[in-house]
Amino acid sequence: MASTADIKNGVVLSIDGQLWSVIEFQHVKPGKGGAFVRTKLKNVVSGKVVDRTYNAGAKIDIENVDRRDFTYLYNDGDGFVFMDATDFDQLTVGAATVGDAKNFLLENQQVTIALNNGNPLYIDLPASVILEVTYTEPGLQGDRSSAGTKPATLETGYEMQVPLFLETGTKIKVDTRTGEYLGREK
């Protein structure tokens, strides 16, 4: 058991059987009454953000979350298989845990997986990835980057909107957090 004095950004707390990551915290000592700690917590699994206040010195449960580098190997139908970069052990992560990250995963891509007692919690991808456009309608003469967008299918199977001038086979940079087009890869 730890106390509220141990709260820092990034610490993971166990509250009512769920894991919550501290996004921000503030120790408040009002002129009248006891001190308290105001926190903003994000659910590790669902991403829900809540505000929570603790009295100073209150007991809290801090969970050990290990963030390790893995290499994505393949999808075996039941889940996604990753290899630990340090000891080369393989870890299968379910599709529910991978979530939208599957849209941006390529073989041999480096990712960070957060583990709690050996169980994968979530996957952190790089902020952007380079993917190839496998299909899009051909561009027409006079199409400009500001004229509009058209649908395109990427090599991972993800469909997104791209500028009209892009063609099949073009490598583009995609934001993994929002799924938006960032630009052509030179």
Side-chain angles (χ1 to χ4, degrees):
M1 282 297 228
S3 74
T4 55
D6 299 317
I7 292 178
K8 295 177 182 59
N9 288 346
V11 168
V12 177
L13 306 176
S14 176
I15 303 170
D16 300 330
Q18 294 185 352
L19 298 178
W20 298 82
S21 177
V22 177
I23 298 172
E24 37 180 90
F25 72 99
Q26 180 181 17
H27 289 278
V28 180
K29 189 170 181 186
K32 192 174 193 180
F36 59 91
V37 179
R38 188 177 294 136
T39 62
K40 186 177 280 190
L41 305 171
K42 179 179 180 182
N43 190 303
V44 170
V45 177
S46 70
K48 179 180 174 185
V49 177
V50 297
D51 293 323
R52 191 121 187 212
T53 304
Y54 296 96
N55 290 329
K59 299 293 181 200
I60 55 173
D61 282 333
I62 293 181
E63 285 290 327
N64 182 21
V65 174
D66 186 20
R67 291 174 178 83
R68 297 199 317 229
D69 291 330
F70 283 81
T71 302
Y72 173 61
L73 298 178
Y74 58 90
N75 181 350
D76 68 358
D78 297 330
F80 295 80
V81 180
F82 296 87
M83 180 179 65
D84 192 326
T86 55
D87 60 11
F88 307 109
D89 283 344
Q90 291 189 3
L91 173 71
T92 302
V93 180
T97 304
V98 173
D100 289 339
K102 72 178 182 296
N103 297 327
F104 310 108
L105 278 175
L106 288 174
E107 291 182 3
N108 298 320
Q109 183 177 1
Q110 299 297 315
V111 299
T112 302
I113 299 180
L115 301 166
N116 175 254
N117 298 327
N119 298 322
L121 300 174
Y122 59 89
I123 294 176
D124 275 338
L125 292 174
S128 64
V129 293
I130 309 299
L131 297 173
E132 184 177 334
V133 176
T134 55
Y135 177 77
T136 188
E137 295 294 327
L140 301 173
Q141 182 65 29
D143 286 342
R144 301 288 178 255
S145 62
S146 62
T149 60
K150 62 183 178 179
T153 304
L154 304 181
E155 60 186 306
T156 60
Y158 181 62
E159 290 190 17
M160 65 180 293
Q161 294 293 317
V162 298
L164 293 171
F165 63 85
L166 286 180
E167 298 176 0
T168 300
T170 307
K171 291 200 177 278
I172 62 171
K173 188 180 257 189
V174 180
D175 188 326
T176 58
R177 298 163 296 206
T178 62
E180 294 177 356
Y181 168 81
L182 294 176
R184 279 189 289 194
E185 185 58 24
K186 311 290 187 268

